[in-house]
Amino acid sequence: MIYCVIPETLAEELYDKLSDYYRDEPGVEVIVDRRKEERRERGSTGGGQRMIRDRRRRRPGMFPRTKLD
């Protein structure tokens, strides 16, 4: 599913046009973003449980050995 998100300030101008444009596309839905404020508090750590890791670090046992190892 693809969501075509329209800011509320432009909804009156664009919603009908975009809905008509994507009418025959079953995988596209036009929606209006009506959020009034951010849900996350500025500076929030999101619970503080997140670990930041180096994605490039080799982890033993993740891939089968090859002749090049």
Side-chain angles (χ1 to χ4, degrees), residues 4-20:
C4 178
V5 181
I6 303 170
E8 190 170 24
T9 56
L10 298 174
E12 189 174 318
E13 176 186 346
L14 295 177
Y15 183 80
D16 290 334
K17 292 178 188 177
L18 290 171
S19 293
D20 288 342

Side-chain angles (χ1 to χ4, degrees), residues 9-40:
T9 56
L10 298 174
E12 189 174 318
E13 176 186 346
L14 295 177
Y15 183 80
D16 290 334
K17 292 178 188 177
L18 290 171
S19 293
D20 288 342
Y21 184 81
Y22 290 115
R23 179 183 304 132
D24 297 328
E25 295 290 333
V28 178
E29 184 174 343
V30 179
I31 60 174
V32 176
D33 183 2
R34 298 186 190 281
R35 292 179 288 181
K36 299 293 182 195
E37 58 187 46
E38 289 293 323
R39 295 188 317 192
R40 296 181 184 156

Side-chain angles (χ1 to χ4, degrees), residues 51-64:
M51 294 177 59
I52 299 174
R53 295 186 176 186
D54 183 2
R55 293 181 185 172
R56 297 170 291 187
R57 180 174 55 115
R58 183 170 184 224
R59 293 183 176 91
M62 290 207 45
F63 300 102

